[in-house]
Structures are given as structure tokens and as C-alpha cells.
Amino acid sequence: MAAKDSSTERVVIDVRDLTRRFGDFTAVDSISFSVKRGEILGFLGANGAGKTTAIRMLTGLLEPSSGDATVAGFDVYRQREAIKKNIGYMSQKFSLYEDLTVFENIRFYGGVYGLTRATIKSKSDELLERLGLQHARDHRISGLPLGWRQKLAFSVALLHEPEIVFLDEPTGGVDPVTRRQFWDLIYETAANGVTVFATTHYMDEAEYCDRVSIMVDGRIEAYGTPNALKNQFEVSSMDDVFIRLARSTSQSS
Amino acid sequence: MNSVIMDNIARSYGDVRALDGISVQINGGELFGFIGPDGAGKTTLFRILTSLLLPDSGSATVDGLDVVDDYRKLRRAIGYMPGRFSLYQDLTVEENLQFFASVFGTTVDANYELIRSVFQYLEPFRHRRAGQLSGGMKQKLALSCALIHRPSVLFLDEPTTGVDAVSRKEFWEMLEELKAEGITIVVSTPYMDEASLCDRVALIQDGRLLTVDTPTRIEKSFPKPILSVRSARKYELIKALRAYPFSSSVYAFGESAHYTDSRSSVDAVELQSYLRDQGFTDVTVAQVDPGIEDVFMALMT
């Protein structure tokens, strides 16, 4: 793969024995993994497996109990504010203000991330053109189709040019064509060197990621490309990988 | 015998046409699925079929009962599990079940056999408040409550949305058992991969039906061979496939890309050598059977 330069190999999320306890309960139990520049990681697990706690630590919202991690080169204990400034975040449930227009949303998020007026102006023009949404600039979000909102929310999360973007169930519930358009956008972003960290419990969505991590009871029980995991568990879909993992742990506990 | 008959149902909210002439006939004892994304009109249709919303035009009957004129009788005959969790969070599992039984003038004991296979999962949590249950358990309790009066037709609106893969699998196994009891089941889902678990499905998009048939026949209706193409460089691969002069459709499909050709036949070897010339040294090309998602996309565009 000659097209990729050596900077592609740079690690932007590096996690070593990261642990978080709440009283007697260990929500995240010594997880370790690393994600490279431009890689798309699918971060999976059942409800209560520890996903949310892990992500809160990696986004600077929660201090770990022990272990080490750096995100975009910043330490999760000492540089939490710097982490927040250098990541993007998009949630399927809430990302844009419905009662604000498209441009007002862009201006708001640009302001939150400290972009200048001039930068916000030029970036919003560029963004609207790229998405073909110039005509909707002054329309309220509430009137836009779900697919447009999603693409817009994703682009807004990238406005401040973060090294990493966190996506929470990015394509749940959309029609299959819009879903592909959204993955095209994610692939393009990753090809431009942005690392994508996606959480989802749609197993078929996981198949689109370069690499997948599956958490069970606070630990990472499986990590690899979707194909490698399917081979490892000798099944044909990520759904079956997940079911195998969940069943094996419920039998052992 | 037809159990649910929809005749040209339409419903708008202001300017938005949520349902635009839906006609479907569902057989008694069938497990029937409405498959479509958010905003397709699934919930509006279910609310009309359960007499909770009036159609603007068109008509529907469930077990011979008209959804408008016979709504009182209809409500006793059907079970309905809405998409949003709608049980009493402050009542225990057992209290919720007893409440729903008493509303329908029956008892939990009278119909326990019907819900046994579902309720067995909940037995250990009998005295827990519904609000304290996990997502999968809430869903099983909601199903138990919808069944407690032994309905002849069960409507389940997106029962597996937001539920993890293990609970989803269990849920579909429970539906199979209920079907064996002779209950007609009408279910909606945004998950295309659940289509194969239904006897027949309707693909629905923007308030219109794209097609109605068995999952197998829908898959077989796909007009062209599909090539599944793989390379580690997915984004570049998709771009290269779209640039291929004979390409008709190119969609990311998990780890691979699905390609159809604009010509009547497709040449995998030729495509592979084109991609090699483009620098894809790791590329593999294989013909695959179409899935529901392939058909859905072809019908949408």
C-alpha cells in the first residue's frame, strides 16, 4: 500500500491498563488498546459493559482510577481540557439545536471551539457547499430530513479540525442509501487522516469499521478486524461474534 | 383467512404525507414484518391499525373488525406493544402484569401458559420495579403485558430497536413460539437483517410500500448479479469502482463493497484486473446473493 505515508502509522489513542472503579464496582477493568491516525475503530459492548465509562475517560470527562492513556497526544489525567479541544463528538440523539438554523448551529459550535468570525464564515461556506446544503443555510434544523441532519452534525463535529472524532451510533434508523452516504463521508474523513471512534450496538454497523473492540463486563474481550473476529469465533457475522462472547461469559459467571 | 386488511390507507400531518395509500393483506397466523427506516410511516400505520389514530382516507379491518367503527371490540381483540416503553415504571413486574390482566377482565393465571416462555426470564425479578429493569427485560415485560389477554393479533412497533444482539435473538425466538400458538404477529423494524425472520415482509419508505412478499422471493427479485469486492483500502476502492466505466451501483457493505454492472452480464475477472491496474494488490472479487438491503436500495433509487 504505497499510497499511505509513514505518518499514517502514528498512534493517536494509546490506552494501557486503564481502569475506573466506582466504590467496589470496577466499571472499566484494565483495558489496553491503541488506535492509529486515520483508523476507524468500532467500540462495542452490551449495555452496562463499561463502554460509556471508557469513553468518558477518553474524552476528558472522567478521571481514571489507574492506568495510562493519551488521546491526541494529551494525558487523560493532566490534560483533560486539551483533550476536549482536540476531539470532535457527534451523537445520534443530540448534536444540533433544532430551533436554530443550519448556519446558527455552525456559528454556535464554531464559537464554542474558539474559531474566529472570519474562520467560521469561510468554513461554513465551504461545509455547506461540500454537502450541497447552501439552499438550507437559513432553514431550521427541525425541518431537515434526518439524513441531512446527520451529515451536517458530522461536519460540524469536524469544524475545529480535531484529530479524532467520536461518533455515538452514527447511522441508527436511517434508510440504507443515506447510511451508505454517511459511511462514504466517514471513509473520506478517515482517509484525510482523522481517526474515527464509533460506538454502536448495531453489529452490522461494526462491519464497516477497520477494527472492532468488544467490551464485556468492563474488559475488552475481543479486538481485531471484523474479518479476523469472525474467523476467530468461526461465525459468519458480527452479530454471531457478539452472541458467542455474551453467552460464553454468562456461562462462566 | 385474512387477519389484517389495509385498503389504501393515507394519513398526513400538516404538509407531511406520513402514509400514502397503503394496501396490504396479512394472513391469519402469519408473522408479518414492516421493514423501513425512521420516518417511513411504520408507527403511524400501527397507530391506525390499533385504533389509536384515524386515517385521513382508506380503511382497515383486524379480524373482521373495522379500526374506526368497531374500535371498542377491536381493542379487546388485539395486543399492542408501542415503540416507547409504556409500562408503569413505579409498579413492580408482577403489578404491571396484574394491572394489564385486570384491565382486560382476565387474570394472570388464566393465560399464564401463553406468556410462560417470555415470562420465565422475568421470574427472578418479579418484585423489581419496571423502571429498574434492563432494556431487554423491559421489552420482555412489555411483551408479556401485551399478551396477557390472549389477543388474536399482536402488533409490535420496533420491539428490537436499541436492544443488544443477544436480547434481539431471544426476542425473535419468543415470537416464533407465539406464532406456533396461532397468534398473528405484525412487527415493524428498521433492521433489514430481521426481514429473514418473518414469513412475509413489506418494505416501506416515505409512506409508500416498495414491495410485499416473502424475504426469499424479494431477494431473488434483484435483477442483476452482485459482486462483492474487498480491499483493505475501502475508501479508495469505492472511488475506483465508481470510476469504472461499466459501474451501475457501488455501495459500501460492511467490510466489502457491492458492485453491479451496467451491462447485462458481469465479468469478475475483468473487474479484478482493472482494480489491479489501479494499484489494488490485495483485491478479491466474488459473486454474492442479493440481500434485503440490496433490494431496498434498488427500489428506493
Side-chain angles (χ1 to χ4, degrees), chain A residues 103 106-107 110-111 114-127 137 159 161:
Chain A
F103 178 68
I106 297 173
R107 194 174 59 193
L115 305 185
T116 64
R117 258 167 195 251
T119 312
I120 291 171
K121 172 79 178 64
S122 69
K123 285 213 164 259
S124 67
D125 290 346
E126 178 195 308
L127 186 161
R137 184 183 184 276
L159 206 60
E161 298 179 2

Side-chain angles (χ1 to χ4, degrees), chain B residues 74-186:
Chain B
L74 175 104
R75 287 179 187 181
R76 304 197 73 84
I78 61 167
Y80 172 47
M81 183 174 151
R84 275 226 327 245
F85 184 66
S86 56
L87 302 180
Y88 293 92
Q89 312 254 5
D90 290 336
L91 295 186
T92 65
V93 166
E94 197 164 37
E95 287 164 345
N96 265 294
L97 202 55
Q98 280 166 354
F99 173 79
F100 280 89
S102 69
V103 164
F104 285 103
T106 181
T107 62
V108 175
D109 290 343
N111 291 309
Y112 190 74
E113 274 312 304
L114 184 63
I115 64 161
R116 178 191 291 278
S117 69
V118 183
F119 199 73
Q120 62 178 4
Y121 295 98
L122 285 158
E123 281 287 357
F125 312 110
R126 259 180 183 265
H127 302 295
R128 189 176 290 187
R129 287 186 186 191
Q132 312 281 303
L133 295 172
S134 71
M137 287 296 165
K138 278 183 182 166
Q139 174 213 41
K140 291 182 182 95
L141 177 59
L143 179 61
S144 303
C145 291
L147 280 170
I148 198 62
H149 60 296
R150 192 172 272 276
S152 59
V153 185
L154 184 60
F155 292 93
L156 308 168
D157 191 10
E158 294 206 20
T160 55
T161 294
V163 174
D164 72 52
V166 176
S167 299
R168 267 172 71 185
K169 193 177 163 71
E170 286 171 357
F171 197 82
W172 280 98
E173 285 164 3
M174 290 184 282
L175 295 190
E176 272 301 316
E177 289 177 31
L178 291 173
K179 203 191 117 180
E181 295 279 332
I183 296 176
T184 306
I185 302 169
V186 186

